[in-house]
Amino acid sequence: QVQLVESGGGLVQPGGSLRLSCAASGSIFSINGMGWYRQAPGKQRELVALITRGGSINYADSVKGRFAISRDNAKNTVYLQMSVLEPEDTAVYYCVLDCWVTQTARNNYWGQGTQVTVSS
């Protein structure tokens, strides 16, 4: 079974910074991509950032220039550095892993979610 463990959320003032971490473990054959989604109350879950196996990165327009996704391949860990945070960034942030667990079986796995609250 594949597991994702998230950390780094919390309360921060507007303009502040936080770094989220997500470590994957378990029976992973190979990783296709890792990324971050977020969900605010009353809203649909939306993609924040994604990094593929080949290193390509995709950001939501709302976070471009403020957030940065990175990875440590040796540790199967993905990070989200969030800077110049705004109240609109308040949400539960979820790590996602797209991987093959066998040569032919591909699936997505989700972290438990971590709350990010931006408020003065």
Side-chain angles (χ1 to χ4, degrees), residues 6-95:
E6 300 181 34
S7 63
L11 174 65
V12 65
Q13 292 184 332
S17 300
L18 286 173
R19 190 175 82 153
L20 307 182
S21 299
C22 176
S25 63
S27 300
I28 302 172
F29 183 78
S30 65
I31 294 175
N32 191 54
M34 298 187 74
W36 296 90
Y37 283 71
R38 68 185 181 187
Q39 188 166 24
K43 296 184 178 181
Q44 293 185 331
R45 186 174 298 186
E46 64 174 348
L47 175 68
V48 177
L50 178 69
I51 184 166
T52 70
R53 177 180 58 190
S56 297
I57 295 174
N58 185 29
Y59 293 106
D61 288 341
S62 60
V63 307
K64 287 181 179 177
R66 300 188 299 116
F67 290 12
I69 189 170
S70 61
R71 65 183 178 184
D72 185 333
N73 291 334
K75 298 180 179 179
N76 284 344
T77 299
V78 64
Y79 306 92
L80 186 67
Q81 177 65 50
M82 304 183 293
S83 300
V84 198
L85 283 161
E86 304 169 352
E88 292 75 18
D89 297 316
T90 296
V92 177
Y93 284 71
Y94 297 92
C95 176

